[in-house]
Amino acid sequence: QVHVAESGGGSVQAGGSLRLSCETDGHAQSTHCLGWFRQAPGKEREAVAFIDSDGDITYADSVKGRFIISQDNAKNNMYLQMVSLKPEDAGMYYCAARVAAWCPPMGRVAEKLFGAWGQGTLVNVSS
């Protein structure tokens, strides 16, 4: 069974930066899609960025040019570097894993295709 655990959340002012980490077990790294999702209070959870085993990456339009997803296979870690943070980026950020060779398209259905989820790490962005 795949396990993931995220860390790195915190509080920053608008324009600041944070780096989130997701630790995965070894099984998730073989053939996988790893993703970051977020959920703001009162809103639905949304996809932020995906990366697959081949390093193919997808970003939500709202974070393109500001967020970078990456993975370190040797350390079984995935990262989300966030810069130029905006108040609307605040929320609970979740790491998720899907044991498959490809990542789904961004959209409401995407999260249903991920089988392993972390507990979340909170990001606060003050204006």
Side-chain angles (χ1 to χ4, degrees):
Q1 188 173 0
V2 175
H3 297 282
V4 296
E6 56 283 90
S7 61
S11 297
V12 296
Q13 291 187 330
S17 302
L18 280 174
R19 188 191 195 208
L20 306 183
S21 297
C22 175
E23 183 175 355
T24 72
D25 63 17
H27 180 72
Q29 292 289 329
S30 55
T31 302
H32 65 268
C33 169
L34 299 177
W36 288 100
F37 292 78
R38 68 186 181 188
Q39 187 169 21
K43 294 188 177 181
E44 294 184 351
R45 188 157 56 185
E46 62 177 357
V48 175
F50 298 158
I51 186 167
D52 68 16
S53 305
D54 294 329
D56 293 327
I57 292 171
T58 309
Y59 293 105
D61 289 342
S62 59
V63 305
K64 284 180 181 177
R66 300 187 300 117
F67 290 12
I68 298 175
I69 188 172
S70 62
Q71 61 187 347
D72 183 339
N73 291 337
K75 296 181 178 180
N76 295 329
N77 286 332
M78 176 181 67
Y79 307 96
L80 186 68
Q81 178 68 50
M82 306 184 293
V83 301
S84 301
L85 282 161
K86 305 175 182 180
E88 52 264 42
D89 293 319
M92 190 69 78
Y93 280 69
Y94 299 91
C95 171
R98 163 176 162 80
V99 182
W102 54 273
C103 289
M106 292 268 167
R108 292 184 178 182
V109 177
E111 70 171 276
K112 298 179 181 180
L113 300 177
F114 285 78
W117 291 83
Q119 294 299 307
T121 186
L122 188 62
V123 172
N124 289 313
V125 184
S126 58
S127 58

